[in-house]
């Protein structure tokens, strides 16, 4: 009888250990799922900035990146206005490239904090989309109407001919002229 009681006790201990382990696994799973928030998803949707030219889609040659970087750097040094160019393969879960560009510019902190004088240009070649987002200080001069006109009349005709660098470069040059 004693041996039967010992086996019963061992069996009950074994069952309770298994149920504790199972319960802790379920708890861990629940915690990890519930702690994922939209802000974490948004954070992962954006690449890390690497400079004023962020060619993640490898649209530009090294010479083109150098040339455009010099133009943007010289403009920043002369005016404290910052223009950042980004190429991406995806705009993740964003409904449009304009929203993506706006949030990316805010997350990266494009422009100076005091003047809010940044501009970010995002090209998503696979989606055939281009967006320009401006800081509040910038949009006083470079309105949405001006940016759209630069996209439609200066950049897109070059893109249609497969000249992505030329389209971006001409767009940047036109925006610099308009921003004076």
């Amino acid at each position: 009888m004693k041996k039967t009681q010992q086996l019963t006790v061992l069996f009950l201990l074994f069952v309770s250990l298994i149920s504790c382990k199972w319960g802790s696994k379920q708890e861990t799973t629940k915690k990890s799922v519930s702690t994922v928030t939209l802000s974490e998803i948004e954070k992962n949707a954006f690449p890390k900035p690497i400079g004023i030219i962020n060619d993640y889609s490898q649209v530009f040659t090294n010479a083109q990146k150098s040339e455009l970087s010099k133009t943007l750097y010289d403009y920043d040094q002369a005016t404290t206005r910052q223009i950042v160019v980004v190429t991406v393969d995806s705009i993740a879960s964003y409904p449009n490239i304009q929203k993506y560009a706006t949030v990316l510019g805010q997350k990266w902190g494009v422009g100076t904090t005091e003047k809010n004088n940044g501009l970010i240009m995002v090209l998503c070649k696979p989606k055939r989309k281009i967006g320009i987002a401006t800081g509040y200080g910038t949009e006083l001069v470079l309105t949405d109407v001006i940016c759209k006109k630069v996209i439609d009349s200066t950049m897109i005709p070059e893109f249609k001919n497969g000249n992505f660098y030329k389209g971006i470069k001409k767009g940047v040059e036109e925006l610099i002229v308009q921003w004076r």
Side-chain angles (χ1 to χ4, degrees):
M1 187 84 162
K2 217 171 194 191
K3 196 164 193 149
T4 312
Q5 286 176 338
Q6 285 177 341
L7 286 175
T8 305
V9 169
L10 283 175
F11 177 75
L12 290 174
L13 280 172
F14 178 74
V15 169
S16 65
L17 280 174
I18 290 175
S19 66
C20 286
K21 265 226 187 275
W22 173 251
S24 68
K25 281 185 182 177
Q26 283 181 325
E27 191 66 31
T28 303
T29 304
K30 284 180 185 175
K31 283 182 184 175
S32 64
V33 169
S34 65
T35 57
V36 175
T37 63
L38 183 59
S39 62
E40 286 180 38
I41 293 168
E42 279 184 349
K43 274 190 238 173
N44 295 331
F46 298 119
K48 301 241 186 283
I50 53 176
I52 52 179
I53 305 296
N54 299 270
D55 187 21
Y56 299 106
S57 293
Q58 300 175 346
V59 173
F60 311 129
T61 66
N62 286 337
Q64 291 170 335
K65 283 189 259 188
S66 293
E67 180 184 10
L68 193 54
S69 289
K70 181 173 178 2
T71 300
L72 298 177
Y73 178 77
D74 290 348
Y75 183 69
D76 183 16
Q77 291 300 300
T79 64
T80 71
R81 297 174 183 156
Q82 188 177 47
I83 299 174
V84 174
V85 175
V86 183
T87 67
V88 293
D89 289 328
S90 168
I91 57 173
S93 60
Y94 283 83
N96 62 59
I97 193 139
Q98 192 61 42
K99 180 68 175 166
Y100 181 88
T102 300
V103 176
L104 181 62
Q106 291 169 347
K107 294 239 185 253
W108 283 7
V110 176
T112 63
T113 307
E114 307 82 43
K115 297 179 183 177
N116 206 348
N117 61 347
L119 179 144
I120 188 165
M121 184 181 294
V122 179
L123 170 68
C124 184
K125 189 176 165 188
K127 296 248 183 218
R128 300 173 52 123
K129 301 286 181 189
I130 178 85
I132 298 173
T134 58
Y136 291 120
T138 303
E139 73 182 11
L140 297 173
V141 178
L142 294 178
T143 63
D144 290 344
V145 172
I146 291 171
C147 291
K148 180 160 178 31
K149 183 178 179 203
V150 169
I151 289 171
D152 292 342
S153 63
T154 304
M155 300 172 80
I156 291 189
E158 295 296 340
F159 295 167
K160 285 182 178 179
N161 292 324
N163 299 323
F164 292 97
Y165 174 72
K166 193 172 181 182
I168 294 288
K169 185 173 189 263
K170 286 174 85 174
V172 164
E173 291 170 346
E174 180 65 25
L175 290 167
I176 286 173
V177 168
Q178 296 281 334
W179 204 349
R180 295 189 184 211

